[in-house]
Amino acid sequence: MSNTFQVDLRGIVDLLSHHLYASPRVYVRELLQNAVDAITAVGPEHEGVVVITSSDRSGDGTLRIDDNGIGLTEAQVHELLATIGRSSKRDELGFARHEFLGQFGIGLLSCFLVADEIRVHTRRGDATPVLWTGYSDGRYDVRPGDDREPGTTVTLMPRRGAEHYLTAETVAELAGTYGALLPVRVMVDDRKVTVGTVPWNLPPESRMAYAERTLGFRPFDVIELDVPAAGLTGAAFVLPTPVNPATRGGHRVYLKRMLLSESIEGLLPEWAFFARCVVDSTELRPTASREALYDDGLLAETREAIADQLRGWLVRLSTTDPRRLAAFLSIHHLGVKALALHDDEMLRLVEQWYPMQTNMGEVTLAEFRARHGVLRYASTADEFRQLAAVAAAQDVGLINGGYVYDAELIQRLALVDPEVRAERLDPTDLTTRFTAVDTEAELRLRPFLAAAQRRLDRLGCEVVVRVFDPVTLPALYLVSREAAFQDEFTASRDQADDLWGGVLDALARTVPSDRPQLVLNHRNPLVRRVTALGDDELAGLAVESLYGQALLLGHHPIRPSDAALLTTSFLGLLDRAVPGESHKKDQD
């Protein structure tokens, strides 16, 4: 009896190959799903087996998959194979209960990605065997089949150019990838590809070996996962080396022991980039292609439950194995700090165990607070480098808040704990700890300061003389936050068009006019000699050189005018240092 599909099969094959499935390789998964569904329908005591005969073994270039499942009657063949997507009929036939993996009709049609002809030889109970044959041009026929035991055999005639998908090597690899954890025995030719045990139930050393073999690394640790609401069990394998948080790897997700994908995203929160999961679920929903998870409320609930279990593992390490926690934090501190931004328990863990860079060495926030009282920090790494040595000389503890999340964590700790004080150190705060020169020295320095100020006025810098430690530092360039904002504001005004320039001009009257300061250290012997020079030109060159050195030592940005000043002051000092007449420029 010959018929045509109710939906244009050629259009469906195009849809499957270009829009639904990422690769023809999925046909093996779909065949396995159909076979396992049929076996499951027999009952829990039934010992199922699926046998795949590759094109290498068949002798005629075909691939055959046999199962000892429940089989189909002729009426069911018409309903499941002749009508695509009619889930109500599937319900009537008993294949819609949640323990089944896929949809028989759509799954079978995926085989047209590699085959021009599909034959389904099936029998249910004592019913007459049925042979269904479908062709890629849309025709199919149904007729009585040869006698056989209950079950189903699907035979694929390869499409030209797709023969390699049916070979023993390819089929064994695909069946092992998708079906290794299936609860039924799966054979490819004479080779068993199912392992019978999920990896998270293996002994510890075997789990490590599984991760090395399957995930490509020997994990730092293995965390068992259990989310009853999603029927999910599995393990999170902690990476032994740092990874870029922006490059989140995927997870191996199985649905009812059939591999959905090796690169599922969205199973973990973003901060948990340090773990790769291998899980099995009976309740999470796949997308239409069955290559990703449907993003619904259950997935969100599952993601949060796994996050709680990862968090619990970290907390347990802090109480039972602090040295191991320290080793973990040295590898994956970014993930833990990201979590601590919105989790009080993790914030306390970071405070107690994560060492931060300070001008007194690497210490935890708890140790720093015990020693200095106030969590005083620089908000950027450049600011920390500018101030660290000077602050240490004044016995001011300073934390480098320039690393990712560090400044935010310090601020949040002060918000959640009223006993914690946190202050961002403004560069000009240090000048309040510097000592002014005595009155006699101040009077003596006035001519020098006036000359020095004239040299640096064009750079918008104020020159002052103070006494501070360390004595080896001749000059310090300090920019207050107000001065930094003024520089940014001025740069924006210079780049703006006439319309916005007028707006910025109006705003300029409200912008603080604070200027950066070049603070000369009167305790430094070189500075003393410079201030005692009777030669205004030589003193001016020396001050310009000290200005340039302060910029470089403080890791400040060098503007074009600063770069020009560094060059002219250096050449000027060199010219004064070399005796004899100045060298004439080459006129040629």
Side-chain angles (χ1 to χ4, degrees):
M1 178 173 62
S2 180
N3 296 276
T4 57
F5 285 109
Q6 294 182 8
V7 179
D8 178 16
L9 183 57
R10 283 166 293 191
I12 287 186
V13 171
D14 179 72
L15 175 67
L16 296 179
S17 59
H18 294 99
H19 303 287
L20 188 61
Y21 295 119
S23 166
R25 292 161 55 91
V26 299
Y27 88 92
V28 172
R29 182 191 65 193
E30 300 299 325
L31 288 175
L32 285 175
Q33 286 183 340
N34 290 340
V36 173
D37 278 352
I39 290 169
T40 302
V42 177
E45 304 301 323
H46 181 57
E47 185 177 349
V49 61
V50 180
V51 177
I52 303 177
T53 304
S54 70
S55 59
D56 298 335
R57 178 65 62 87
S58 68
D60 58 4
T62 64
L63 178 137
R64 189 171 67 248
I65 178 168
D66 296 272
D67 70 70
N68 62 345
I70 197 168
L72 300 170
T73 66
E74 181 176 348
Q76 292 168 343
V77 165
H78 282 286
E79 295 295 345
L80 288 174
L81 301 179
T83 305
I84 306 303
R86 288 183 56 183
S87 59
S88 61
K89 288 299 182 183
R90 181 181 173 82
D91 294 348
E92 294 171 13
L93 297 172
F95 284 93
R97 301 199 308 276
H98 83 281
E99 63 264 30
F100 296 108
L101 295 170
Q103 289 191 344
F104 190 90
I106 291 292
L108 190 65
L109 284 180
S110 70
C111 295
F112 280 114
L113 297 174
V114 298
D116 276 331
E117 180 181 324
I118 303 172
R119 301 170 190 160
V120 179
H121 184 204
T122 183
R123 180 179 183 180
R124 181 162 185 166
D126 295 330
T128 302
V130 181
L131 177 63
W132 177 94
T133 304
Y135 305 92
S136 58
D137 61 4
R139 295 176 298 112
Y140 77 91
D141 64 70
V142 180
R143 64 187 63 192
D146 295 338
D147 193 31
R148 58 161 298 149
E149 294 295 317
T152 300
T153 300
V154 177
T155 303
L156 306 184
M157 302 292 291
R159 294 178 61 185
R160 178 173 296 181
E163 293 87 354
H164 62 285
Y165 284 110
L166 279 59
T167 61
E169 181 181 2
T170 301
V171 173
E173 186 263 323
L174 294 176
T177 297
Y178 288 113
L181 302 188
L182 286 171
V184 302
R185 184 160 50 97
V186 177
M187 307 289 296
V188 176
D189 295 336
D190 295 325
R191 174 184 170 187
K192 181 181 178 183
V193 298
T194 44
V195 297
T197 304
V198 293
W200 48 92
N201 288 341
L202 294 171
E205 184 55 36
S206 297
R207 289 190 297 190
M208 294 290 185
Y210 166 84
E212 285 187 284
R213 184 175 62 254
T214 307
L215 304 179
F217 62 87
R218 186 172 182 84
F220 177 87
D221 206 346
V222 181
I223 308 164
E224 292 187 9
L225 304 175
D226 184 17
V227 185
L232 182 144
T233 58
F237 296 87
V238 180
L239 289 159
T241 55
V243 292
N244 185 344
T247 309
R248 291 182 294 279
H251 309 281
R252 292 180 70 92
V253 174
Y254 293 80
L255 295 183
K256 306 174 185 72
R257 307 278 286 271
M258 177 72 76
L259 180 67
L260 183 69
S261 174
E262 298 173 283
S263 56
I264 293 293
E265 296 185 358
L267 187 66
L268 296 186
E270 290 187 1
W271 58 261
F273 56 81
F274 55 79
R276 298 290 179 268
C277 291
V278 181
V279 300
D280 178 58
S281 172
T282 60
E283 304 300 329
L284 291 176
R285 295 170 54 198
T287 58
S289 67
R290 292 200 288 278
E291 295 177 331
L293 289 173
Y294 189 75
D295 195 357
D296 57 7
L298 181 58
L299 179 59
E301 182 182 342
T302 302
R303 184 164 48 241
E304 185 57 37
I306 294 177
D308 287 341
Q309 291 170 35
L310 295 181
R311 185 187 297 111
W313 170 76
L314 288 170
V315 173
R316 284 194 302 275
L317 279 186
S318 70
T319 57
T320 61
D321 198 345
R323 291 182 62 183
R324 189 161 177 77
L325 175 64
F328 169 80
L329 289 176
S330 70
I331 301 171
H332 295 298
H333 54 278
L334 281 179
V336 176
K337 289 194 293 184
L339 173 58
L341 288 177
H342 55 82
D343 186 284
D344 292 348
E345 201 167 21
M346 286 299 99
L347 182 64
R348 289 302 185 187
L349 185 143
V350 169
E351 179 194 19
Q352 295 293 324
W353 297 105
Y354 177 66
M356 290 191 179
Q357 183 183 27
T358 78
N359 61 346
M360 307 294 183
E362 286 199 347
V363 297
T364 66
L365 291 177
E367 293 169 333
F368 188 93
R369 190 156 65 97
R371 188 180 306 174
H372 299 284
V374 179
L375 296 178
R376 190 172 285 108
Y377 66 96
S379 62
T380 67
D382 282 343
E383 195 173 88
F384 176 80
R385 287 193 292 265
Q386 294 160 20
L387 304 176
V390 179
Q394 319 307 315
D395 198 29
V396 175
L398 185 63
I399 304 167
N400 184 359
Y403 292 106
V404 177
Y405 303 132
D406 284 5
E408 295 95 324
L409 289 172
I410 293 169
Q411 296 163 3
R412 187 171 186 277
L413 193 60
L415 285 175
V416 301
D417 187 345
E419 294 184 1
V420 175
R421 289 177 54 208
E423 295 178 1
R424 177 183 171 184
L425 181 66
D426 190 292
T428 55
D429 293 341
L430 287 175
T431 60
T432 63
R433 296 174 177 267
F434 296 169
T435 304
V437 295
D438 58 57
T439 304
E440 181 180 349
E442 183 181 358
L443 291 172
R444 189 170 61 250
L445 290 171
R446 280 183 180 177
F448 164 79
L449 285 173
Q453 189 61 63
R454 285 193 296 271
R455 299 296 286 253
L456 295 188
D457 266 340
R458 60 192 173 91
L459 299 173
C461 181
E462 180 182 359
V463 183
V464 297
V465 178
R466 296 289 185 269
V467 177
F468 59 88
D469 288 322
V471 69
T472 55
L473 184 66
L476 184 66
Y477 184 77
L478 296 179
V479 185
S480 68
R481 285 195 286 272
E482 290 79 8
F485 177 76
Q486 174 70 40
D487 286 345
E488 294 175 3
F489 189 91
T490 301
S492 298
R493 173 62 186 88
D494 292 341
Q495 297 174 9
D497 57 23
D498 292 340
L499 173 62
W500 286 108
V503 174
L504 293 175
D505 284 339
L507 291 174
R509 288 186 284 271
T510 66
V511 175
S513 58
D514 210 0
R515 295 201 299 174
Q517 289 184 332
L518 178 66
V519 185
L520 301 178
N521 186 1
H522 197 250
R523 185 171 287 171
N524 180 268
L526 175 62
V527 172
R528 284 176 175 269
R529 294 201 301 273
V530 170
T531 59
L533 289 171
D535 186 332
D536 286 351
E537 177 62 23
L538 182 58
L541 290 172
V543 168
E544 289 175 346
S545 295
L546 289 172
Y547 169 85
Q549 184 207 37
L551 287 179
L552 294 172
L553 289 178
H555 301 274
H556 295 280
I558 304 296
R559 300 169 298 179
S561 57
D562 298 327
L565 181 73
L566 284 169
T567 301
T568 57
S569 62
F570 172 75
L571 292 176
L573 288 174
L574 188 62
D575 184 64
R576 296 293 295 266
V578 177
E581 295 183 2
S582 300
H583 298 287
K584 294 182 178 181
K585 295 182 178 180
D586 188 354
Q587 299 299 319
D588 296 334

